[in-house]
Amino acid sequence: MRPASRLTFPARTAAPNEVAAILHSFTDHLLYSLAKDQYSATMHDKFMALALTVRERLTERWIATQQRYYKKDAKRVYYLSAEFLLGRALGNNLINLGVLEACREAMRMVGIDLDALLEEEIDAGLGNGGLGRLAACFLDSMATLNIPGYGYGIRYEFGMFDQEIKDGHQVEKPDEWLRFGNPWELPRPEYALPVHFGGRVEEFTDEDGKHRVRWTDTDQVIGMPYDMPIAGFGPTSSVNTLRLWRARASAEFDLRVFNDGDYEKAVLDKNRSETISKVLYPSDLKVFGKELRLKQQYFFVACSLYDIVRRYLSVRNTFEAFADKVSIQLNDTHPAVAIPELMRLFIDVNGLPWDQAWELTTRTFGYTNHTLLAEALETWPVTLFGRLLPRHLTIIYEINRRFLRQVMSRFPFDEARVARMSLIDESPGDPAGKRIRMAYLAVVGSHAVNGVAALHTELLKADLLRDFHEMWPERFNNKTNGVTPRRWLLASNPKLAEAITGRIGDGWITNLSELHRLQHFLDDAEFLAEVRAIKAANKKALANYILTANNLVVDPASLYDVQVKRLHEYKRQLLNVLHIIALYLRVKRDPEAPMVPRTFLFGAKAAPAYSTAKLIIKLINAVAEVVNADPQMEGRLKVVFLANYRVSLAERIFPASDLSEQISTAGKEASGTGNMKLALNGALTIGTLDGANVEMREEVGADNFFLFGLTAAEVMALHKNGYRPRDYYERNAELKSVIDLISSGFFSPDHPELFRSLIQGLLDHDPYALLADFESYVECQKRVSETYLDQDRWTRMAVMNIARMGKFSSDRTIAEYAREIWGTLAVP
Ligand code: 26Q
């Protein structure tokens, strides 16, 4: 520790971003905002003080940005998403603001290690996985590109659960991310809004003799906005706003206390309305009929639309120009109730005729689909929906009536098509009754519909939304996902970033295609050595983390083989495990045979109710226990399950990865974005022709990508022609020995039947074709090991991967959305 006297500082005379001024703000915040002195300040207090210092420096630009948008009367784009998986903000803001080194120096002067301070921040984990993180990358890119963009979502009090591993099993702990306060949010009680639920629909004639509808006798909750600044990268970029809504009880509840005299009940009711924004649903699979989830969706959509319309009307008094000034992007169907809600605002609240309201609505919305999996498509029982949102139900019925009339006139005598395309699924087999198909509603109510990778969009057009594509081919377009190079290279892998900048300058940070110039250095031994040394150092750092977190020693010279993503059967972590067991058996059979030492790293959360996924986590840990305890595996195999995979852990893992496992069943992964982050950090991919892997391979070249497995078309044909997984088991001796070993109870001696259901699932059904792809996967992994033996070749391939990742910047993705869907221009 430095002497405490270092915490007293000169008066503020320097420019705000100079070291002295930063230090001055920092100590002011410690004293005046946190009421701490050098004796009582904890590391976390110091983190808070620096965060508040940085927030101050964002504020001027934030206000200036919003004024610019207002003065230019710019077209705004609103990104509606139930999830924003932001992770930590401090390091990112320091970099985007350009004050990282000044702050490092200021902290050094008072004996604080900035990197240790950054570790104090709790992740903002307001998302499940890819979809939520994509929203966060998009915010970064919109701000960097000076696009007048706003994120709108929910301020969950509890984000994605914290995962602990106990006896190999996943245990969930609530994520109390707000426990020590959130320095990045600004409550805006002055913009609080009422939101209505329930009640009934009433028709009446207004003073002009017009037939009108009103929604009455509703329950109310209040939406309280919390704003977070989103700083773009560089001195001339924007600071945009992420507005998250928190549910509060309305004043009505307080009146009820007064009137009913039932204090206890009134306070309990108050509590109930505030549960709406309590917790993120930790499942990226369908959850049937959860009323609270629908309440969450409508709650944030209603608040956001009210806000959007209010902002529009603050400078205009007719709706004529609405779609020229407002674009709203729906991040999957989670906010799709925005379509009937905007119709309600136009028609019921503002008296617009249906046709005009509908034209404006469809011109305003764009819909992004993120999945082809049938079980992940959102539908809501009509009864539940009608109880909560009776007016919206009548609007949806009217949308459907007019839409089906259009279908009939376009495709007369095709009744089957009409039933297939209806927004209401009336399939008689369903005991819960009719259901609303939210994806269809989103397509009908939008002028643009996109998938998130080329293959995914093609499958959407050919499969899930085929009928809709036949009707409106012009609505469909592809927007291949991307990731922000600021967080995923510049901030998380500073040494590699510096090495790159040393060779090609720093233009790549905002123009990632410039990375292609690294190809000039493919034969530059010095550069290759530098890249290799950086990877080695990053692997060492991760090994240190693993030693602390898992109490395991891993060898930084071994090949780090990494699969980090949500746990899902279609992502096939189990296929990875089958390969590990195959290697284990090979060593057991022939302990002297040479092999490339590998460390297998897993990180994955399972939805708490997804028992198969949880069982796969247990299997990974059971295999890890056997492998890691076996002296014969020493220097050969190690298996590590990294608990609580999240954004900040991803930032440690990617820079240290050699091999990126992207092994989903072809046709199932919409895009993937971890695949891009890993390749950008110099990992080579072993993968199927699925999602964005297809385009990544196109970019890096077939020689620099380890491809295996069936294509999407082959997988479909396999199932159509009566797939018999057991045949693969019988015919492949290695596969058989692996399966038999699990079946024997070898990995669960105290409970030999534990993994029985996994094995039965593979042998009898195997819907994700693990057994069909096993041989191809294992063969491909042999090629990986052979290649790794030639470190020079491996490093050149890694550099080629980095050099060819330019396409996968979210800046490119956002520029495409802006030009082709939103029609928004930069406001620099
Ligand atoms: C739906 C209804 C009820 C409760 C929860 C949900 C729910 C929540 C989250 C459904 C899906 C999600 C998340 C989906 C997701 O993350 N999809 C991923 O999106 C990425 C970004 O486009 C893609 O790269 C991935 O391929 C895709 O799986």
Side-chain angles (χ1 to χ4, degrees):
M1 269 292 263
R2 292 267 173 160
S5 64
R6 292 293 186 113
L7 281 177
T8 39
F9 298 102
R12 189 195 316 238
T13 51
N17 288 347
E18 279 173 12
V19 174
I22 287 168
L23 212 38
H24 187 100
S25 297
F26 173 77
T27 48
D28 269 8
H29 277 299
L30 215 48
L31 184 61
Y32 299 118
S33 308
L34 302 162
K36 290 290 183 95
D37 59 21
Q38 59 267 40
Y39 307 109
S40 55
T42 63
M43 257 321 242
H44 196 265
D45 292 326
K46 294 170 190 170
F47 155 72
M48 287 293 267
L50 186 60
L52 292 171
T53 299
V54 171
R55 195 182 85 180
E56 262 169 21
R57 279 151 182 78
L58 282 169
T59 311
E60 275 174 62
R61 266 173 63 187
W62 195 4
I63 290 171
T65 299
Q66 302 311 314
Q67 272 182 16
R68 242 182 320 125
Y69 295 164
Y70 177 83
K71 286 197 185 125
K72 283 261 159 160
D73 190 22
K75 181 170 190 178
R76 315 297 216 285
V77 48
Y78 298 103
Y79 200 78
L80 265 55
S81 178
E83 309 192 357
F84 288 91
L85 191 41
L86 300 163
R88 291 172 176 162
L90 180 54
N92 201 247
N93 283 335
L94 292 177
I95 284 179
N96 282 12
L97 279 179
V99 295
L100 178 67
E101 288 318 315
C103 284
R104 191 183 295 286
E105 174 60 13
M107 293 301 98
R108 196 193 57 76
M109 287 172 70
V110 285
I112 298 169
D113 173 20
L114 180 67
D115 294 320
L117 210 57
L118 299 183
E119 287 297 315
E120 282 295 314
E121 185 169 4
I122 302 177
D123 283 37
L126 308 184
N128 274 282
L131 166 149
R133 183 54 231 177
L134 186 75
C137 285
F138 281 5
L139 293 180
D140 181 276
S141 286
M142 285 193 280
T144 298
L145 295 176
N146 294 304
I147 289 172
Y150 300 72
Y152 273 108
I154 301 173
R155 181 184 176 276
Y156 299 107
E157 193 174 328
F158 298 93
M160 189 61 198
F161 63 81
D162 279 330
Q163 179 194 55
E164 289 179 9
I165 300 297
K166 295 245 160 82
D167 186 30
H169 292 281
Q170 167 175 299
V171 177
E172 302 95 21
K173 294 279 156 67
D175 161 46
E176 297 183 54
W177 73 294
L178 295 168
R179 190 176 36 214
F180 300 114
N182 176 4
W184 306 112
E185 68 180 13
L186 231 78
R188 298 283 199 194
E190 70 274 28
Y191 298 130
L193 301 169
V195 178
H196 301 264
F197 290 100
R200 61 196 170 81
V201 174
E202 211 172 69
E203 304 189 15
F204 68 104
T205 307
D206 70 10
E207 52 267 36
D208 303 331
K210 266 203 298 192
H211 177 257
R212 299 278 291 264
V213 179
R214 71 176 148 235
W215 181 19
T216 68
D217 284 347
T218 54
D219 298 324
Q220 261 197 39
V221 298
I222 301 298
M224 178 85 78
Y226 287 71
D227 287 354
M228 309 210 344
I230 305 292
F233 176 83
T236 62
S237 73
S238 297
V239 179
N240 285 343
T241 304
L242 170 60
R243 180 161 280 184
L244 300 178
W245 300 96
R246 175 186 188 190
R248 309 306 317 264
S250 76
E252 275 184 10
F253 283 102
D254 301 328
L255 275 178
R256 211 179 293 172
V257 177
F258 223 62
N259 299 332
D260 303 1
D262 190 347
Y263 178 75
E264 191 179 322
K265 181 173 181 303
V267 174
L268 289 176
D269 284 352
K270 198 174 162 91
N271 239 319
R272 197 155 21 152
S273 41
E274 302 192 344
T275 59
I276 290 178
S277 58
K278 259 300 154 213
V279 59
L280 167 77
Y281 278 95
S283 166
D284 48 2
L285 273 180
K286 182 165 185 142
V287 186
F288 263 91
K290 281 270 198 272
E291 178 169 337
L292 186 59
R293 167 83 184 178
L294 182 58
K295 276 192 176 167
Q296 288 184 333
Q297 294 181 350
Y298 179 67
F299 167 72
F300 95 87
V301 160
C303 292
S304 307
L305 285 188
Y306 193 107
D307 216 42
I308 290 166
V309 169
R310 177 173 62 184
R311 188 171 295 114
Y312 171 83
L313 286 178
S314 71
V315 291
R316 279 190 176 66
N317 44 32
T318 79
F319 283 102
E320 226 162 278
F322 192 81
D324 304 314
K325 292 294 167 186
V326 175
S327 232
I328 303 177
Q329 194 64 28
L330 302 172
N331 199 20
D332 215 294
T333 55
H334 315 154
V337 68
I339 290 165
E341 173 67 1
L342 187 59
M343 287 296 284
R344 187 186 73 81
L345 293 177
F346 281 151
I347 295 170
D348 295 0
V349 182
N350 292 283
L352 263 56
W354 181 281
D355 289 321
Q356 190 194 354
W358 185 244
E359 208 228 350
L360 290 175
T361 297
T362 53
R363 284 176 56 208
T364 298
F365 285 109
Y367 158 53
T368 305
N369 173 285
H370 295 266
T371 188
L372 295 159
L373 296 183
E375 63 273 27
L377 292 173
E378 256 191 312
T379 63
W380 289 104
V382 166
T383 48
L384 164 64
F385 198 98
R387 197 165 5 97
L388 219 58
L389 303 168
R391 176 57 179 141
H392 299 77
L393 183 59
T394 65
I395 290 172
I396 290 171
Y397 270 123
E398 181 61 12
I399 293 171
N400 197 36
R401 193 183 67 79
R402 290 167 180 249
F403 164 61
L404 292 181
R405 210 171 52 190
Q406 231 181 313
V407 176
M408 281 185 272
S409 84
R410 231 339 256 293
F411 304 95
F413 318 113
D414 194 348
E415 271 175 58
R417 180 185 297 264
V418 174
R420 281 202 309 270
M421 295 181 78
S422 174
L423 305 188
I424 311 295
D425 181 0
E426 317 212 3
S427 40
D430 190 342
K434 304 180 196 176
R435 307 182 72 97
I436 308 173
R437 295 159 159 161
M438 300 306 278
Y440 292 5
L441 173 63
V443 173
V444 172
S446 302
H447 69 283
V449 177
N450 73 281
V452 290
L455 173 68
H456 169 61
T457 301
E458 287 312 307
L459 292 171
L460 270 184
K461 294 195 286 193
D463 229 37
L464 183 67
L465 300 176
R466 183 196 188 106
D467 292 326
F468 292 86
H469 179 248
E470 278 173 17
M471 186 146 168
W472 295 310
E474 69 288 351
R475 276 190 201 193
F476 287 78
N477 70 94
N478 175 246
K479 293 285 167 284
T480 298
N481 282 168
V483 304
T484 172
R486 272 76 64 183
R487 180 176 297 263
W488 297 112
L489 179 51
L490 183 60
S492 59
N493 200 344
K495 292 197 208 85
L496 182 59
E498 202 183 306
I500 292 170
T501 297
R503 294 308 194 286
I504 64 168
D506 64 4
W508 61 271
I509 299 170
T510 49
N511 182 10
L512 199 63
S513 305
E514 289 186 15
L515 288 180
H516 77 86
R517 301 200 342 232
L518 289 175
Q519 287 171 83
H520 298 307
F521 302 91
L522 278 170
D523 294 311
D524 179 333
E526 202 182 315
F527 182 64
L528 295 184
E530 200 179 334
V531 169
R532 195 184 306 172
I534 290 165
K535 182 64 81 180
N538 292 338
K539 289 169 74 174
K540 183 86 189 40
L542 186 61
N544 288 338
Y545 173 84
I546 293 168
L547 183 59
T548 319
N550 293 49
N551 196 23
L552 274 177
V553 175
V554 308
D555 174 10
S558 65
L559 188 166
Y560 283 16
D561 180 331
V562 174
Q563 189 171 20
V564 287
K565 49 185 79 246
R566 284 302 288 262
L567 213 137
H568 257 292
E569 288 164 279
Y570 83 79
K571 294 177 189 282
R572 300 200 295 191
Q573 281 95 349
L574 187 51
L575 179 59
N576 189 341
V577 174
L578 297 182
H579 171 241
I580 295 171
I581 298 172
L583 292 181
Y584 170 81
L585 285 174
R586 276 186 213 164
V587 178
K588 283 315 227 187
R589 287 201 183 104
D590 186 0
E592 300 311 317
M595 72 171 286
V596 170
R598 285 207 200 204
T599 301
F600 289 90
L601 298 163
F602 290 88
K605 287 177 179 174
Y610 189 173
S611 53
T612 303
K614 289 180 135 179
L615 192 53
I616 293 170
I617 289 179
K618 172 66 182 171
L619 176 62
I620 295 169
N621 284 303
V623 170
E625 203 172 315
V626 169
V627 168
N628 299 342
D630 187 335
Q632 274 185 316
M633 300 301 138
E634 190 72 48
R636 294 187 170 83
L637 281 187
K638 192 132 282 175
V639 180
V640 182
F641 189 95
L642 293 160
N644 206 25
Y645 180 61
R646 62 198 185 285
V647 171
S648 60
L649 187 50
E651 289 167 6
R652 288 180 189 272
I653 296 171
F654 295 150
S657 301
D658 293 311
L659 186 66
S660 161
E661 298 268 355
Q662 306 301 336
I663 61 177
S664 53
T665 314
K668 301 295 179 192
E669 188 71 271
S671 165
T673 46
N675 47 2
M676 302 166 187
K677 297 162 194 169
L678 279 152
L680 187 61
N681 282 276
L684 305 189
T685 305
I686 181 166
T688 49
L689 283 178
D690 201 14
N693 294 355
V694 178
E695 291 157 80
M696 287 174 56
R697 179 167 173 269
E698 246 164 54
E699 293 294 308
V700 305
D703 292 348
N704 298 303
F705 188 103
F706 295 103
L707 178 71
F708 77 95
L710 300 172
T711 64
E714 288 165 348
V715 171
M716 278 194 249
L718 181 77
H719 290 295
K720 210 175 104 195
N721 302 332
Y723 174 39
R724 290 163 41 130
R726 208 174 278 271
D727 292 353
Y728 291 82
Y729 161 84
E730 303 288 358
R731 280 185 216 137
N732 182 323
E734 185 162 52
L735 174 59
K736 185 166 190 305
S737 63
V738 168
I739 298 264
D740 289 347
L741 192 65
I742 303 173
S743 299
S744 74
F746 182 78
F747 296 106
S748 51
D750 298 337
H751 187 350
E753 300 287 286
L754 186 61
F755 302 118
R756 151 70 45 88
S757 63
L758 291 181
I759 298 307
Q760 284 312 316
L762 288 181
L763 292 176
D764 295 340
H765 307 289
D766 192 19
Y768 300 107
L770 280 74
L771 301 200
D773 271 348
F774 177 82
E775 186 174 317
S776 168
Y777 180 56
V778 169
E779 278 306 308
C780 190
Q781 287 284 21
K782 280 188 191 147
R783 283 188 277 131
V784 170
S785 288
E786 280 158 23
T787 308
Y788 193 75
L789 284 175
D790 182 350
Q791 278 289 297
D792 220 58
R793 170 153 181 240
W794 184 278
T795 307
R796 276 204 309 278
M797 289 171 72
V799 171
M800 272 300 278
N801 270 264
I802 300 167
R804 299 283 184 89
M805 278 301 110
K807 173 175 174 185
F808 304 100
S809 167
S810 47
D811 298 344
R812 187 271 312 152
T813 312
I814 284 298
E816 288 180 7
Y817 274 94
R819 195 175 56 243
E820 296 164 21
I821 298 181
W822 303 332
T824 46
L825 299 172
V827 181

